[in-house]
Amino acid sequence: MEWVETTAKTVEEAQDLALDKLGVDELEAEFEVLEEPRPGLFGRMRGQARVRARIQPKAPRPKEDRGRRRRSGGAGKKRSDAKKSEPKKASTKQASDGQSSSTKKDDSGRDADASTGSSPATAKERSGDKRPAKKSGAKSRNRKPEQPTEESSMEEVSSCVEEFLSGLTSAFGLDAPVVIDTTGGEINAQIEGKHGLLLGPKARTLDAIQELTRVAAQRTAPSSIRIKVDVGGYRAQRKASLETFAVSAAERAVAEGTEIVLEPMSSADRKAVHDRLSEFDGVSTRSAGNDPRRYVIIVPDGDSTAEEPATEEPTTDEAADAADSEGDAS
């Protein structure tokens, strides 16, 4: 029997598809797992499962049985010749008798075999459809019940963060100590020194490092503790510069009486602008656009063209997005 190959989201589903193609039960087939899904970010699975299967080959009959069958071939041929020489009337009569008896109906109006009283389902089995019914619990035969995830302590998560960032800086060939601060119920990891290689254009490399640190810590020590990563105090300097720039743009919006549209920013930068201008009289702020091109609009009070604040779309930094949305609502 040739192999059949199937793909699905899980190995179990791929095996079920292979059984459907072969038309046999699980005990009558053999499988080979060619590829399994790989775990990706945030617990999602990447790729698909690929399985090939075939019907289990049956062992050949012993030589003695095959020799006995060859020796008895002549007698069987004579019997078959005798059957062919029988009158055709007898076979025609038997066929007509069988047809009349099989078309009899029972009291409920359903066709049944008069000689055996079998139902249509049994007749289907006699017609040669030997495909077994699919088991309802086939997909869950190898699945284990999910166990609740235990919350890791602050010390365990901090240790994982420090270990990951220390290994990362060593891989970059940098001598940069990592300082962990757990004030406020969150983890703030500071990589000491000025390292532009870890920042990247518009701090995109730093944002990627922060996300990788969260994923690594979540796999080793699952928890809901928020993790922030900074290099040489860049984020504090960036926040101060944004606040100064936001005040300047708000003053211009009030003086000119028109909306000021800022450049696209990350959720953390938008939050800094919203928070600072919430204390500035005469203007309000809202966000527009879609990530990663979402931006802040500064609207002077009394502007009839101002639209209702838009709700922030969720991003990977859920806490920052929630705070950004609060700033939009103001």
Side-chain angles (χ1 to χ4, degrees):
M1 180 66 185
E2 296 183 355
W3 294 88
V4 297
E5 187 173 315
T6 56
T7 58
K9 292 182 178 180
T10 63
V11 174
E12 291 78 7
E13 293 180 0
Q15 290 176 347
D16 290 338
L17 292 176
L19 291 176
D20 290 342
K21 287 186 176 182
L22 296 175
V24 297
D25 192 14
E26 180 184 1
L27 300 178
E28 301 176 11
E30 60 177 332
F31 302 95
E32 285 189 9
V33 179
L34 303 178
E35 185 177 353
E36 295 186 13
R38 302 181 302 276
L41 295 179
F42 311 111
R44 298 179 180 177
M45 302 302 291
R46 299 178 58 188
Q48 288 189 323
R50 190 158 59 93
V51 173
R52 71 171 187 168
R54 68 174 181 178
I55 300 175
Q56 290 183 355
K58 297 182 179 179
R61 293 187 303 274
K63 292 184 178 180
E64 297 179 359
D65 295 343
R66 286 182 284 175
R68 189 182 303 114
R69 185 175 180 180
R70 285 196 297 268
R71 288 194 296 272
S72 60
K77 184 175 181 181
K78 293 180 181 180
R79 286 195 297 269
S80 61
D81 294 340
K83 288 183 179 180
K84 290 181 180 179
S85 62
E86 291 180 358
K88 293 184 178 180
K89 290 185 179 181
S91 60
T92 306
K93 183 177 180 181
Q94 291 177 358
S96 61
D97 293 342
Q99 182 178 2
S100 61
S101 62
S102 61
T103 54
K104 291 182 180 180
K105 296 187 177 181
D106 56 10
D107 296 338
S108 61
R110 294 177 298 180
D111 290 341
D113 192 331
S115 60
T116 60
S118 60
S119 62
T122 308
K124 182 179 180 180
E125 293 177 359
R126 292 198 306 272
S127 65
D129 188 358
K130 299 181 180 180
R131 179 177 175 180
K134 187 176 180 180
K135 297 182 179 179
S136 59
K139 293 185 178 181
S140 60
R141 57 181 177 270
N142 294 329
R143 294 184 180 178
K144 298 180 180 180
E146 296 183 359
Q147 299 295 334
T149 304
E150 296 182 359
E151 185 78 7
S152 302
S153 64
M154 179 70 75
E155 292 74 13
E156 292 175 337
V157 180
S158 299
S159 177
C160 292
V161 170
E162 184 176 4
E163 181 180 356
F164 177 79
L165 291 177
S166 298
L168 182 67
T169 54
S170 299
F172 273 96
L174 302 175
D175 183 13
V178 179
V179 179
I180 304 295
D181 182 15
T182 59
T183 306
E186 61 182 22
I187 297 176
N188 291 280
Q190 184 73 228
I191 301 176
E192 299 292 337
K194 303 293 183 180
H195 305 289
L197 184 63
L198 300 180
L199 291 176
K202 296 184 178 181
R204 291 171 184 167
T205 304
L206 176 58
D207 292 338
I209 291 174
Q210 179 172 274
E211 186 62 28
L212 288 174
T213 304
R214 290 175 180 170
V215 173
Q218 187 69 19
R219 287 185 175 181
T220 307
S223 72
S224 57
I225 301 173
R226 189 177 180 186
I227 301 173
K228 294 181 180 179
V229 179
D230 196 3
V231 176
Y234 168 82
R235 295 194 187 278
Q237 297 174 7
R238 171 71 174 172
K239 181 178 180 182
S241 300
L242 279 173
E243 291 177 349
T244 303
F245 172 74
V247 170
S248 175
E251 291 174 349
R252 183 157 59 93
V254 172
E256 298 177 0
T258 58
E259 296 182 356
I260 302 297
V261 180
L262 305 183
E263 65 179 4
M265 303 178 184
S266 64
S267 59
D269 290 347
R270 295 196 304 269
K271 179 182 181 302
V273 174
H274 287 311
D275 292 346
R276 179 63 185 88
L277 295 187
S278 64
E279 304 172 357
F280 191 92
D281 295 333
V283 298
S284 60
T285 59
R286 62 184 176 89
S287 293
N290 298 318
D291 284 328
R293 304 291 299 173
R294 195 161 174 80
Y295 52 89
V296 176
I297 301 176
I298 303 175
V299 183
D301 291 346
D303 188 353
S304 59
T305 62
E307 300 178 0
E308 291 294 328
T311 303
E312 288 292 338
E313 296 292 335
T315 63
T316 53
D317 192 349
E318 296 178 358
D321 278 354
D324 192 5
S325 301
E326 294 175 4
D328 287 347
S330 63

